[in-house]
Amino acid sequence: MKAMILAAGRGERMRPLTDRHPKPLLPVGREPLIGWHLRRLKEAGITEIVINHAWLGRQIEETLQDGAAYGVSIAYSAEGEKGLETAGGIATALPLLGDEPFLVVNGDVLTDINFTTAKQRAASLRPQQHLAHLWLVGNPEHNPSGDFALADSGMVRSTSESGGRMLTFSGIGVYDPALFADTPPHQAAKLAPLLRAAMDAGQVSGEAHSGLWLDVGTPERLAEADRLAQAW
């Protein structure tokens, strides 16, 4: 199974820290932020990894190189300075990801979600039937209304009108390549509309994660991530 780490964001809320360094390389404990994902993917037996990048992306390649220092193999999908949004970035990287379901991880979160279970979730996906499985978390202060509703059946809905509690998307999911069949590569496209359409068609499952998850989106949350990482 392959994984993709999303690392193309500009990190506007993290400025001025991100004026000279891409957000995935900001230090968290003894590692750059992205390094925690690489280590945990390796522990889960997922060693073929694709990383997309845009703003100051060459620094990411120069720092991580081929991934050997982390025991993984890294391929890079360069998007240009502005980036392609999440769906556009994934669609552009599909030739590197292959034809089987793959794991996608936001590069700017710190979490102990068990990546080992991604292989099990991927085995349940079927083109045109079951296109995605998402990890959802409790709503943080900066997103009190949540993103999607998780029903008792384990299916994810775009709203809570059909039942379920509103939770926040963790930025971590397993996707069948068919989800991006109509998304042209090398063009900017957002992921949320694709997911909502698939949810309305009953093609997205999910699970709630109650452990560690932190959106490292501001200097204050970077400091919190650094504090939490000291215990790892």
Side-chain angles (χ1 to χ4, degrees):
M1 183 183 189
K2 295 184 178 181
M4 181 174 183
I5 301 177
L6 302 174
R10 172 63 176 85
E12 291 286 351
R13 293 174 299 167
M14 199 70 80
R15 297 181 68 184
L17 296 176
T18 50
D19 286 343
R20 295 186 178 182
H21 302 286
K23 184 160 62 170
L25 294 186
L26 294 178
V28 172
R30 66 181 183 274
E31 297 277 2
L33 178 56
I34 198 171
W36 293 102
H37 289 325
L38 293 172
R39 292 198 183 281
R40 299 197 66 253
L41 287 168
K42 171 63 166 57
E43 291 171 0
I46 302 173
T47 59
E48 293 184 75
I49 298 168
V50 176
I51 298 176
N52 70 333
H53 62 70
W55 172 252
L56 301 177
R58 183 164 295 279
Q59 287 188 32
I60 296 176
E61 294 197 26
E62 291 172 349
T63 300
L64 302 179
Q65 301 184 34
D66 63 359
Y70 288 90
V72 300
S73 176
I74 299 175
Y76 295 96
S77 180
E79 298 182 3
E81 190 169 300
K82 292 186 177 180
L84 299 172
E85 301 282 1
T86 302
I90 295 172
T92 300
L94 284 180
L96 298 172
L97 292 165
D99 299 326
E100 299 298 321
F102 50 85
L103 174 67
V104 173
V105 180
N106 270 13
D108 59 356
V109 300
L110 184 69
T111 183
D112 62 359
I113 287 174
N114 185 358
F115 294 146
T116 303
T117 62
K119 296 179 181 179
Q120 303 168 11
R121 307 302 184 262
S124 70
L125 302 190
R126 297 289 184 275
Q128 312 309 320
Q129 299 177 29
H130 187 184
L131 296 180
H133 181 87
L134 310 180
W135 279 263
L136 306 172
V137 297
N139 300 327
E141 290 183 3
H142 60 273
N143 191 43
S145 299
D147 299 311
F148 308 125
L150 179 63
D152 291 341
S153 64
M155 301 306 290
V156 181
R157 310 298 185 191
S158 58
T159 70
S160 60
E161 293 179 359
S162 55
R165 55 184 176 129
M166 294 297 293
L167 296 170
T168 291
F169 177 37
S170 70
I172 298 170
V174 175
Y175 304 112
D176 191 284
L179 180 65
F180 305 94
D182 297 324
T183 303
H186 309 293
Q187 296 184 30
K190 295 182 180 296
L191 179 60
L194 293 182
L195 287 177
R196 291 184 186 281
M199 289 172 190
D200 292 344
Q203 297 172 323
V204 180
S205 61
E207 60 188 275
H209 175 68
S210 59
L212 172 63
W213 180 86
L214 179 67
D215 173 7
V216 188
T218 65
E220 293 76 17
R221 283 184 238 147
L222 179 65
E224 174 68 4
D226 187 67
R227 185 188 67 78
L228 291 170
Q230 302 302 327
W232 280 17

